Amino acid sequence: MHSTTSEPPSPAPDAAPVPLLATAEQALKIAVVGGFGVGKTTLVRSVSEIRPLNTEETMTRAGDGVDDLHGVEAKRSTTVAFDFGRITLDATSVLYVFGAPGQERFWFLWDRLFSGALGAVVLVDTRRLADSFYAIDRLEAQGTPFVVAHNDFGESTHDLDEVRSALDLDPGVPLVRCDARERDSAKRVLIALVRHVRSLVTEGSR
């Protein structure tokens, strides 16, 4: 993926679907994981060239005492399966982006999502940093390449070195700051992941 590649703009809610090119031959998959309410659905929506497939459901009182809303008290809906978006890289390659549900009761789905993935993005919110530990542990155990993206909601007082230290993140894992609401910012996260994967492949071939 190159930042200079021209891409269609994100569609308006009532826009016609963007068809998949007939010349597309190679499909790549990226997983977006992280804690509850960290912005995974927002990131997928920001980068997708098609109207994303969302499985958002309104939160009800049945979730009281099950879903921890500390730090995200204003959250009113949640992903109950997967979010799905698409990015055309060039005439023959397409990238599929899957956003995973963040609640602990859905974590059993993650290992299947990682299967066959080019890599993953761990989205973190410093208000709920401990929610990110499981995602990082699972990716390390699976051997799946990943980057960590600090989703900055505009209230962060932590620099990236502090976030890296708090996560006890391996020095070789890229850590970037982003705003999942902004398409260009979200795209830079995916570009960082692709570059990281490429560097690992290059090192492995030496």
Side-chain angles (χ1 to χ4, degrees), residues 37-103:
V38 77
K40 299 178 296 296
T41 297
T42 300
L43 187 142
V44 173
R45 184 182 298 126
S46 294
V47 299
S48 180
E49 68 190 18
I50 61 173
R51 183 185 302 172
L53 171 64
N54 299 129
T55 54
E56 289 273 294
E57 295 293 342
T58 301
M59 298 178 65
T60 66
R61 290 188 176 181
D64 291 350
V66 178
D67 296 324
D68 178 11
L69 295 179
H70 175 70
V72 288
E73 290 82 0
K75 189 171 176 61
R76 294 292 177 264
S77 63
T78 185
T79 300
V80 296
F82 297 115
D83 299 316
F84 171 78
R86 189 187 78 205
I87 304 171
T88 298
L89 303 180
D90 54 38
T92 61
S93 301
V94 61
L95 180 67
Y96 295 119
V97 184
F98 290 84
Q103 300 98 313

Side-chain angles (χ1 to χ4, degrees), residues 4 12 17 26 28 36 56 67 97 101 114 122-123 141 162 170 175:
T4 56
Q26 182 180 30
L28 305 171
F36 176 59
E56 289 273 294
D67 296 324
V97 184
F114 298 154
V122 179
L123 205 57
E162 291 175 321
D170 186 284
L175 172 63

